[in-house]
Amino acid sequence: MQGINDVARELGVTLRTLRFYEKEGLIDPQRVGNTRIYSKREIGRMQLILRGKRLGFSIREIKEFLDLYDADPGHHEQMGRLVERVRERLIDLKGQRRALDLTIEELTKIENEATTHRMRKQK
Protein backbone atom coordinates (compact mmCIF):
# COMPACT_ATOMS: atom_id res chain seq x y z
CA MET A 1 0.00 0.00 0.00
CA GLN A 2 1.34 3.39 -1.02
CA GLY A 3 0.25 7.00 -0.80
CA ILE A 4 -0.53 9.20 -3.79
CA ASN A 5 2.87 10.97 -3.74
CA ASP A 6 4.78 7.70 -3.81
CA VAL A 7 2.63 6.28 -6.62
CA ALA A 8 2.93 9.46 -8.68
CA ARG A 9 6.71 9.40 -8.30
CA GLU A 10 6.93 5.67 -9.09
CA LEU A 11 4.80 5.98 -12.23
CA GLY A 12 6.21 9.32 -13.35
CA VAL A 13 2.83 11.07 -13.36
CA THR A 14 1.35 14.05 -11.57
CA LEU A 15 -1.05 13.93 -8.64
CA ARG A 16 -3.57 15.53 -10.98
CA THR A 17 -3.21 12.59 -13.39
CA LEU A 18 -3.98 10.09 -10.64
CA ARG A 19 -6.98 12.12 -9.50
CA PHE A 20 -8.22 12.35 -13.09
CA TYR A 21 -8.17 8.58 -13.59
CA GLU A 22 -9.89 8.14 -10.25
CA LYS A 23 -12.59 10.63 -11.28
CA GLU A 24 -13.01 8.75 -14.57
CA GLY A 25 -13.57 5.52 -12.62
CA LEU A 26 -10.50 3.70 -13.91
CA ILE A 27 -8.88 3.38 -10.49
CA ASP A 28 -10.38 3.31 -7.03
CA PRO A 29 -7.81 3.85 -4.28
CA GLN A 30 -8.87 3.25 -0.70
CA ARG A 31 -9.44 6.27 1.50
CA VAL A 32 -8.17 6.71 5.01
CA GLY A 33 -9.62 10.07 5.96
CA ASN A 34 -8.52 12.40 3.16
CA THR A 35 -5.54 10.21 2.23
CA ARG A 36 -5.62 8.02 -0.87
CA ILE A 37 -3.99 4.62 -0.43
CA TYR A 38 -3.03 2.65 -3.55
CA SER A 39 -2.90 -1.14 -3.52
CA LYS A 40 -0.79 -3.23 -5.92
CA ARG A 41 -4.00 -3.73 -7.93
CA GLU A 42 -4.51 0.02 -8.38
CA ILE A 43 -0.86 0.55 -9.29
CA GLY A 44 -1.13 -2.29 -11.83
CA ARG A 45 -4.26 -0.71 -13.30
CA MET A 46 -2.44 2.62 -13.59
CA GLN A 47 0.43 0.90 -15.42
CA LEU A 48 -2.10 -0.58 -17.87
CA ILE A 49 -3.79 2.81 -18.28
CA LEU A 50 -0.48 4.54 -19.02
CA ARG A 51 0.50 1.83 -21.49
CA GLY A 52 -2.88 2.13 -23.20
CA LYS A 53 -2.45 5.91 -23.48
CA ARG A 54 1.07 5.51 -24.93
CA LEU A 55 -0.37 3.14 -27.53
CA GLY A 56 -3.03 5.69 -28.47
CA PHE A 57 -6.12 4.13 -26.95
CA SER A 58 -8.89 6.39 -25.68
CA ILE A 59 -9.98 6.55 -22.05
CA ARG A 60 -13.21 4.81 -23.08
CA GLU A 61 -11.30 1.94 -24.70
CA ILE A 62 -8.96 1.58 -21.72
CA LYS A 63 -11.95 1.53 -19.35
CA GLU A 64 -13.56 -1.18 -21.49
CA PHE A 65 -10.38 -3.32 -21.29
CA LEU A 66 -10.15 -2.86 -17.52
CA ASP A 67 -13.84 -3.67 -17.04
CA LEU A 68 -13.47 -6.83 -19.13
CA TYR A 69 -10.39 -7.79 -17.12
CA ASP A 70 -12.44 -7.60 -13.92
CA ALA A 71 -15.49 -9.39 -15.38
CA ASP A 72 -13.71 -12.19 -17.25
CA PRO A 73 -11.45 -14.24 -14.93
CA GLY A 74 -10.07 -16.27 -17.87
CA HIS A 75 -9.47 -13.06 -19.83
CA HIS A 76 -10.76 -14.69 -23.05
CA GLU A 77 -13.15 -11.91 -24.01
CA GLN A 78 -10.65 -9.25 -22.98
CA MET A 79 -7.92 -10.76 -25.17
CA GLY A 80 -10.28 -11.03 -28.14
CA ARG A 81 -11.30 -7.38 -27.77
CA LEU A 82 -7.68 -6.35 -27.28
CA VAL A 83 -6.60 -8.10 -30.49
CA GLU A 84 -9.44 -6.36 -32.37
CA ARG A 85 -8.49 -2.92 -31.07
CA VAL A 86 -4.76 -3.49 -31.63
CA ARG A 87 -5.41 -4.48 -35.25
CA GLU A 88 -7.56 -1.38 -35.77
CA ARG A 89 -4.85 0.81 -34.22
CA LEU A 90 -2.17 -0.77 -36.42
CA ILE A 91 -4.24 -0.03 -39.54
CA ASP A 92 -4.66 3.59 -38.42
CA LEU A 93 -0.96 4.01 -37.63
CA LYS A 94 0.15 2.45 -40.92
CA GLY A 95 -2.15 4.88 -42.76
CA GLN A 96 -0.68 7.79 -40.82
CA ARG A 97 2.83 6.56 -41.61
CA ARG A 98 2.01 6.44 -45.35
CA ALA A 99 0.63 9.98 -45.15
CA LEU A 100 3.76 11.16 -43.28
CA ASP A 101 6.06 9.47 -45.81
CA LEU A 102 4.25 11.26 -48.67
CA THR A 103 4.44 14.59 -46.85
CA ILE A 104 8.15 14.09 -46.15
CA GLU A 105 8.78 13.24 -49.82
CA GLU A 106 6.91 16.31 -51.00
CA LEU A 107 8.64 18.64 -48.52
CA THR A 108 12.03 17.21 -49.48
CA LYS A 109 11.24 17.84 -53.14
CA ILE A 110 10.18 21.43 -52.39
CA GLU A 111 13.31 21.98 -50.31
CA ASN A 112 15.51 20.67 -53.13
CA GLU A 113 13.74 22.81 -55.72
CA ALA A 114 13.99 25.91 -53.53
CA THR A 115 17.67 25.28 -52.81
CA THR A 116 18.42 24.80 -56.51
CA HIS A 117 16.47 27.95 -57.39
CA ARG A 118 18.28 29.97 -54.71
CA MET A 119 21.70 28.75 -55.85
CA ARG A 120 20.91 29.73 -59.47
CA LYS A 121 19.89 33.22 -58.33
CA GLN A 122 23.18 33.64 -56.42
CA LYS A 123 25.32 32.94 -59.53
Side-chain angles (χ1 to χ4, degrees):
M1 300 284 220
Q2 296 182 47
I4 192 168
N5 290 317
D6 296 330
V7 172
R9 194 174 318 109
E10 178 181 327
L11 297 175
V13 298
T14 64
L15 303 179
R16 186 176 180 188
T17 298
L18 291 171
R19 290 185 195 111
F20 171 77
Y21 289 123
E22 180 182 355
K23 186 180 130 239
E24 292 296 314
L26 281 93
I27 57 173
D28 187 23
Q30 295 176 0
R31 297 282 189 136
V32 177
N34 287 334
T35 304
R36 291 172 172 87
I37 304 295
Y38 292 81
S39 65
K40 286 183 181 184
R41 177 182 183 274
E42 296 309 314
I43 294 168
R45 287 174 71 90
M46 270 305 300
Q47 290 169 333
L48 291 172
I49 292 164
L50 295 172
R51 183 177 188 198
K53 289 305 292 175
R54 271 193 315 275
L55 295 173
F57 291 107
S58 69
I59 295 290
R60 183 185 51 76
E61 290 169 320
I62 293 168
K63 184 167 178 22
E64 181 182 328
F65 294 143
L66 292 172
D67 289 347
L68 283 172
Y69 187 83
D70 290 339
D72 179 17
H75 309 300
H76 301 293
E77 188 178 351
Q78 180 200 27
M79 288 300 123
R81 280 289 220 342
L82 180 61
V83 168
E84 258 177 53
R85 293 284 197 264
V86 165
R87 286 180 178 154
E88 290 169 5
R89 186 78 181 118
L90 282 169
I91 289 167
D92 290 345
L93 288 171
K94 287 175 181 178
Q96 289 174 9
R97 182 171 50 195
R98 280 191 295 278
L100 280 170
D101 288 342
L102 288 172
T103 302
I104 289 168
E105 280 179 40
E106 189 166 347
L107 287 170
T108 301
K109 183 179 174 186
I110 291 169
E111 178 189 34
N112 290 337
E113 289 171 358
T115 301
T116 301
H117 179 73
R118 193 175 91 200
M119 291 179 87
R120 283 187 198 144
K121 286 266 190 199
Q122 289 178 352
K123 287 183 180 180

